[in-house]
Amino acid sequence: MSLGFSHNMMLAAYGTAWRIARPFLDRNKRLKHGLSQRLVPYGWSKRAHVWIQAASGGEAYLAWQMLREMPDDQQLTILLTSCTKQGIEVLEKAREWASKEKSYLDILVRYFPYDQPHVMERAVEMVAPKTMVLLETELWPGLMTACAVRNIPVAVFNGRMNPRSLAGYLATAGFWRRIRPAMIHAISDKDARRYAALFGEQGVYAMNNIKFDSVSVGRIRGKNPLIGKVIKKNTPLVVLGSVREEEESDLLDLVTRLKEARPKTSIALFPRHMERVGVWEMMLNGTDLPFVLRSQITEPPVPGTVILWDTFGELGYAYQLARAVFVGGSLAPLGGQNFLEPLAVGKNPVIGTSYHNFQWAEGVIDEKMVYSMDNVDDVYDQLMRILKRAAKPEVVQKRFAAWLKDRQGGTMQVLNALWFLMKRAN
């Protein structure tokens, strides 16, 4: 497929921007992990039927959910990629799970290549997928061009697009329309209309968010691995989950005030990005607050200790043990983090007012299952109210399950679309 002179000129300019940025990107702390894979060396991947790109940890869980619901008669080789270390860690767990539960699937996990056009051309040629799947908001010019040239259909699943992003894309609308995805399933009618404004209405649909399918309402099965090893049984616990850099000063103040008011209450502090753990260590060292790194715990610390979580994959278990929960990314204008996880284990979370990344789930806020507070003072007050009298977990779960019921089924919707595209590509 030929894309035309103007498209190739814009792609060349895009490639030049990559060449200029590459020396800086190669030294980036978050990108240094998997650098050799990002450059697509010989043998980076074998051929795969499907390539699924998941930007980070959240999208990686969506890819895992797709694996969970794949039917037993689909013997496929699937390449899973992610841009971040956390995303790769989730995908590796998904691969290990699939090797036991879906052994007919051959799962490969790699870091997502740099989108520098010649690098991505090499990657697409090496993988030669029948279908390329992009999860949520990712539109990569190098990748999509390489797929268009080879007539490989691109699908955007669980798609979302905000007005600001749409305005940016519309500035170069002709470029994007020449490499438009074959199919787009967006998580709301509003998101679908924004995609349609850029690409046209053909092949654009609304869907239920896959994230609703991954929410399992109920307590985590089996004994919680944190009990008796990290947290003493019946220890009052506040969990501050997915804390972002921009809200650290506010939350340090929050931790201090909670400790003054509730000296016997432990606080579990989960930075959203692991590279912030060192910064939190320095900040906590500047206070009189007793704290310990999660990785250094060999037996439960005394109640009232601040536990700085420097390991990945245990936030759900901590939510289960919490009496009160704050979910970060919401006090600063960052769009919020996943507040459905604590709801699933019967905890009414407290958040700030920035949650536009989760507007698809704002109904739980409207129904007062999640408390959205204007500032850190109000967050503190609401956490204190919950610490004094928390709702019974089973009551919270019952309300949440009823709300969730009609919003599930998105995974099967996109899998059916995937099978359609793959059959059409044969």
Side-chain angles (χ1 to χ4, degrees), residues 1 29 67 90 95 123 188 197 210 216 248 263 374 413 426:
M1 176 181 177
K29 289 182 179 180
L67 298 184
V90 173
R95 183 188 61 79
S188 73
I210 295 174
S216 178
E248 287 173 350
D374 290 337
Q413 182 178 345
N426 287 336

Side-chain angles (χ1 to χ4, degrees), residues 120-192:
M120 197 57 79
E121 286 173 8
R122 188 163 65 245
V124 171
E125 183 179 13
M126 194 178 296
V127 180
K130 293 185 180 297
T131 305
M132 177 74 223
V133 174
L134 301 175
L135 293 175
E136 296 216 338
T137 57
E138 294 190 277
L139 298 176
W140 295 97
L143 171 63
M144 294 171 69
T145 298
C147 288
V149 168
R150 291 166 178 78
N151 294 313
I152 297 169
V154 174
V156 176
F157 290 153
N158 230 61
R160 55 190 176 94
M161 181 181 290
N162 61 47
R164 181 179 296 180
S165 296
L166 174 60
Y169 288 127
L170 286 175
T172 53
F175 175 89
W176 290 105
R177 286 168 185 162
R178 283 187 287 271
I179 54 174
R180 77 178 310 280
M183 189 176 290
I184 298 167
H185 286 255
I187 59 174
S188 73
D189 291 333
K190 289 182 180 179
D191 290 283

Side-chain angles (χ1 to χ4, degrees), residues 296-307:
Q296 296 178 355
I297 293 177
T298 56
E299 60 182 25
V302 297
T305 301
V306 176
I307 303 173

Side-chain angles (χ1 to χ4, degrees), residues 121-299:
E121 286 173 8
R122 188 163 65 245
V124 171
E125 183 179 13
M126 194 178 296
V127 180
K130 293 185 180 297
T131 305
M132 177 74 223
V133 174
L134 301 175
L135 293 175
E136 296 216 338
T137 57
E138 294 190 277
L139 298 176
W140 295 97
L143 171 63
M144 294 171 69
T145 298
C147 288
V149 168
R150 291 166 178 78
N151 294 313
I152 297 169
V154 174
V156 176
F157 290 153
N158 230 61
R160 55 190 176 94
M161 181 181 290
N162 61 47
R164 181 179 296 180
S165 296
L166 174 60
Y169 288 127
L170 286 175
T172 53
F175 175 89
W176 290 105
R177 286 168 185 162
R178 283 187 287 271
I179 54 174
R180 77 178 310 280
M183 189 176 290
I184 298 167
H185 286 255
I187 59 174
S188 73
D189 291 333
K190 289 182 180 179
D191 290 283
R193 285 195 293 270
R194 290 174 191 135
Y195 277 105
L198 177 60
F199 292 117
E201 295 183 358
Q202 184 178 357
V204 179
Y205 309 94
M207 61 172 286
N208 287 339
N209 198 314
I210 295 174
K211 289 179 179 177
F212 289 135
D213 293 339
S214 63
V215 178
S216 178
V217 180
R219 292 189 175 274
I220 300 170
R221 293 181 180 179
K223 182 180 179 182
N224 189 309
L226 302 182
I227 295 179
K229 295 182 179 180
V230 182
I231 306 290
K232 287 184 177 179
K233 190 174 182 179
N234 298 323
T235 296
L237 178 69
V238 176
V239 174
L240 308 180
S242 299
V243 171
R244 299 284 293 276
E245 177 181 354
E246 293 83 351
E247 54 196 0
E248 287 173 350
S249 59
D250 278 340
L251 291 181
L252 180 62
D253 177 62
L254 177 65
V255 170
T256 302
R257 293 171 66 185
L258 287 171
K259 286 297 299 158
E260 290 175 353
R262 305 278 301 221
K264 297 297 183 181
T265 296
S266 294
I267 298 174
L269 177 59
F270 285 79
R272 177 68 180 87
H273 299 119
M274 288 298 171
E275 61 265 25
R276 303 303 299 175
V277 169
V279 176
W280 270 105
E281 281 190 271
M282 289 189 291
M283 291 193 298
L284 291 170
N285 277 323
T287 71
D288 294 327
L289 300 173
F291 81 96
V292 63
L293 290 172
R294 160 66 182 95
S295 62
Q296 296 178 355
I297 293 177
T298 56
E299 60 182 25

Side-chain angles (χ1 to χ4, degrees), residues 219 345-346 391-399:
R219 292 189 175 274
V345 292
K392 293 182 179 180
E394 57 271 22
V395 174
V396 175
Q397 289 171 334
K398 185 176 180 180
R399 287 189 67 204

